[in-house]
Amino acid sequence: MAEQVYQPAEIELRVQQRWQDEEAFRADENGRGEKFYCLSMLPYPSGALHMGHVRNYTIGDVISRYHRMCGRNVLQPMGWDAFGLPAENAAISNNTAPASWTYTNIQHMKTQLKRLGFAYDWSREVTTCKPEYYRWEQLMFTRLMKQGLAYRKDSEVNWDPVDQTVLANEQVVDGRGWRSGALVEKKSIPQWFLRITDYAEQLLQGLDQLEHWPEAVKTMQRNWIGRSEGAEFAMSVCSEDGQRDPRNLQVRVYTTRPDTAFGMTYAVLAPEHPLLDQVTTPAQSVRVGAFVSQARAASEMDRLALEGGLEKRGVFTGAYLFNPFTEKPVPLYIADYVLMAYGTGAIMAVPGQDQRDWDFAKSHNLPIIRTVQPPPGWEGDAFTGDGPAINSAWLDGLEVAQAKQKAIDWLEENDLGERKVNFRLRDWGVSRQRYWGCPIPVIYCPHCLAVPVPEEQLPVVLPEDVTFMGVQSPIKADPEWRKTTCPQCGADAERETDTFDTFMESSWYYARYCCPGAGAQLDERARYWLPVDQYIGGIEHAILHLMYFRFYHRLLRDAGMVDGNEPATHLLCQGMVVAETYYREAADGFVRWVNPAEVEITRDAKGKPVGAVLRADGGAVSIGAVEKMSKSRNNGVDPQGLVERYGADCVRLFSMFAAPPDQSLEWSDSGVEGASRFLRRIWSQVMQHANGGSCQALDPGALNPDQREMRRLVHDTIAKVGDDIGRRYTFNTAIAAIMELSNHLSKFGDPGGQGKAVRQEAWLAVVRMLNPITPHICEALWAALGEKGPLYAAPWPAADESARVRSQVTLVVQVNGKVRARLEAEPGLSRESALQLALDLENVQRHVTGKPVHKVIHVPDRLLNIVVG
RNA sequence: GCCGGUGUGGCGGAACUGGUAGACGCGCUGGACUCAAAAUCCAGUUUUGGCAACAAAGUGUCGGUUCGAGUCCGACCACCGGCACCA
């Protein structure tokens, strides 16, 4: 006799124990079926799971379990993105070592993941802060150094002058250090970079092949890479009257609009331009010098205030450049709207065709010459659209695209410049001046300079047993750790004390999951599992992580370790988890946010909310916006408490039911109650059926019409749910269809032998369809229905097409496009018979009588539209 | 400013290929059970009119294409997200 009352906790723990004992989700390269690699972005071990994790990992688990049931050899791994700044912050405030804080968190979160019943192969777990993981990343880096793909150059960091340390961007709050409160300064120090720009073109083109990535992600990446085509050319420094500079100095500029060069009325250098000192005339040097130091000191806030505004700051250098197109000199300015990091750090300025140049020209009283004819009635400033060239000598009359080509051809023929493609994408700065990260494997020798740590000396292990003295990185504070000898000449040398950006670890973990324990970064198993067949994670990683992920895959490919250009064929970005916010505002304007769990909603008779009160004191609270769950709005819901109260299946079910995966999911306590109610109902109905004794074998030929109709619903639902999960990723509509079927089943009271057989088939189908979403209860119901093997290994149900054939269809009858009646009929009704039957209907006659029929539209078995005059 | 996305009942959402708008769930209303409550079960629930049959209106706004538009086209509005002086 099976249990009558649904007790989720007891069932879930028992089923989870069974999965563990049977190693149910262990993945094996020799497994049967086509491989399917389903990957969810690994979490940072911050302390506890939040609802975002639950949503992300439930989606991955549903997809994994579905494909497993479809007969694929599924790999679904999990791991920990374990390096990172929060561990250091926690170490400083709690006086613990970052390592032990991290390992404790991992322990706890792993328990939470297991309690949610995710089908991971834990034998492949990756923890990125362990030397056995990061040693391979160090090895790869030393190889990239030798290939010139890793290099060192000066780069700016945020320097806290009080704490004497480098700050991460997130440690700078309103231009001040998070701990010291001191104004943060810019400081230039040597740092390591990876040459991702060498891959810019292929990273851009690869996007076109990623058919199953969200358009939003691809667009963001395209914009980030920012490819532009134009020309680069040189202009000679000259005097106001066009006399060449005796030093023969030249300034190179980049432009995407060479066709507008006749409209160049001045030129601009970035404040950091290397030629600035040489071209500045003595008369202007004081003003130029003042501007440069001001630009350097300009805080982030000032810069932001200027963006989008009309104010364009700059000063005249005293020098002129010779415009080869007009053969006339133009004044050369310095301005901070020109960036040293893009193009050549110098531009030709054409105010007539560029809004920024227009703004600058206006505020500095520089001339404006239009070189593209704006449309009649144009009243705007710079005109950036298409039109015929004017004021441009031999370009006059040409449209923009042709004029560009002709101008570039002319530059090349006269040896002045050439066609040039530029990218917005910058090389990836991987140095961080932090402790809790992977040590950069470099030794600095006074003779041999930067030397990669030889392979046999790897890994360079980060000491874990450290104490923080203030905010300084313990390995920077410890002179002993740094001491070493040069691997090339044996001289006394020092280790690099910077560590890698943590994006480095998360760029290749997906490949390491394929080959746990490999004696190299990867082995042959990676070729079997890769590429990832389904990747799932937050849209917040659309640019950085997903770009580095695609870049690193190409590095692995070029090192011969993997095949193919892209690491993942399908990407799904789940939406945020949001919730209502509630607050009370004190008289002094101080806002206190109240957690939704402590609030009761008051409603009018129609159920429309009219207010909210705090349970604790019965007083009113204000209703705020629906926002992303966060500590600052106090609208977070702890998954742990929900799992304890309702069970993992219920939490999983609600997460998948409330919204499609790519939209934001609004948390609702009553919605969770609804999910719980559904599970209890399913439980009692299946148990009631199962306790009703054994049933006969189903004989599809012997069914009465009601039984056939019930069975048709079952097989229609099987077809829909498979399509919803497997193709559309609309888990919410899959669940809705299953709920609908179970509602019909509860009304299907047929007590006869074949009635029971139909019901048995239906419940088995429901249990199998629900299994990816709520696997624990399904495993128990499966057994209750008399099935012997484990459900996790059972096949996905197949829709029986013969059972789906309809004996009746509903034909919608419209008159002039308005629905006037419905007609139950046999399928395959002809146009004439349908019209005949429709015209007999009273409500149709009412709208047709006395009017000539102009036209009849017939969609077989669906619709008949009678158009009357 | 540029790029992308979204607008449908009291709420979350469904309608996949232009063909029954509002599936499924929540909430609410009424009823059954109960001394009572909870739980559970049954019925109803876009708006307006009507006892009902039914009719009219209705998918952000305005217009268009079509026998027929939530869906396609044009213009606009609102909100959300990304990038932001990239020449």
Side-chain angles (χ1 to χ4, degrees), chain A residues 2 56 113 153 163 206 332 356-357 431 465 489 573 582 609 639-640 742 750 796 818 827:
Chain A
N56 190 160
L113 287 175
K153 72 167 185 193
D163 278 346
L332 179 62
R356 295 156 301 182
D357 296 345
S431 294
D465 184 19
C489 71
C573 291
Y582 302 96
Q640 184 79 35
S742 89
D750 190 335
W796 185 254
K818 282 188 187 289

Side-chain angles (χ1 to χ4, degrees), chain A residues 452-493:
Chain A
V453 174
E455 191 167 341
E456 62 278 9
Q457 289 180 26
L458 292 175
V460 178
V461 175
L462 183 76
E464 294 193 349
D465 184 19
V466 295
T467 40
F468 268 76
M469 308 294 282
V471 293
Q472 179 76 291
S473 160
I475 59 172
K476 287 186 189 293
D478 178 7
E480 288 308 307
W481 188 82
R482 208 179 317 168
K483 269 190 203 162
T484 186
T485 53
C486 173
Q488 281 178 15
C489 71
D492 283 349

Side-chain angles (χ1 to χ4, degrees), chain A residues 263-488:
Chain A
M264 181 197 324
T265 54
Y266 66 103
V268 189
L269 296 182
E272 305 86 3
H273 198 283
L275 287 178
L276 182 63
D277 289 343
Q278 295 179 61
V279 300
T280 303
T281 58
Q284 291 297 103
S285 65
V286 172
R287 296 182 60 197
V288 168
F291 183 81
V292 169
S293 45
Q294 189 199 338
R296 196 168 287 154
S299 74
E300 201 72 357
M301 295 301 280
D302 288 347
R303 203 179 62 76
L304 287 171
L306 284 172
E307 277 169 9
L310 285 182
E311 194 193 344
K312 291 270 184 289
R313 302 183 301 188
V315 288
F316 180 42
T317 60
Y320 291 79
L321 294 185
F322 190 78
N323 178 355
F325 289 81
T326 57
E327 302 193 319
K328 284 180 185 145
V330 293
L332 179 62
Y333 279 72
I334 146 180
D336 58 4
Y337 81 90
V338 173
L339 309 174
M340 192 58 225
Y342 186 77
T344 59
I347 61 156
M348 66 171 205
V350 186
Q353 264 66 52
D354 184 289
Q355 189 59 42
R356 295 156 301 182
D357 296 345
W358 175 284
D359 295 339
F360 189 85
K362 282 287 174 189
S363 54
H364 291 80
N365 290 315
L366 289 157
I368 295 170
I369 301 169
R370 291 202 187 272
T371 56
V372 178
Q373 181 68 57
W378 173 260
E379 283 176 12
D381 301 341
F383 176 66
T384 54
D386 207 355
I390 52 171
N391 301 321
S392 298
W394 42 270
L395 290 175
D396 278 355
L398 293 176
E399 294 291 316
V400 171
Q402 300 151 333
K404 268 187 198 173
Q405 290 311 315
K406 195 164 177 186
I408 296 172
D409 290 346
W410 182 83
L411 284 169
E412 290 184 337
E413 279 158 23
N414 291 282
D415 227 11
L416 293 161
E418 62 282 317
R419 191 174 307 275
K420 172 90 189 196
V421 171
N422 258 326
F423 294 95
R424 212 190 77 105
L425 184 71
R426 306 285 150 73
D427 277 337
W428 176 13
V430 295
S431 294
R432 295 292 180 274
Q433 296 69 40
R434 319 248 41 108
Y435 154 74
W436 189 234
C438 168
I440 297 179
V442 175
I443 292 166
Y444 298 105
C445 165
H447 317 293
C448 312
L449 306 174
V451 181
V453 174
E455 191 167 341
E456 62 278 9
Q457 289 180 26
L458 292 175
V460 178
V461 175
L462 183 76
E464 294 193 349
D465 184 19
V466 295
T467 40
F468 268 76
M469 308 294 282
V471 293
Q472 179 76 291
S473 160
I475 59 172
K476 287 186 189 293
D478 178 7
E480 288 308 307
W481 188 82
R482 208 179 317 168
K483 269 190 203 162
T484 186
T485 53
C486 173
Q488 281 178 15

Side-chain angles (χ1 to χ4, degrees), chain A residues 711-728:
Chain A
R711 194 156 179 264
R712 186 183 67 74
L713 287 172
V714 171
H715 288 272
D716 277 355
T717 307
I718 290 171
K720 174 169 174 58
V721 170
D723 189 49
D724 283 354
I725 297 179
R727 180 181 65 88
R728 296 177 67 210

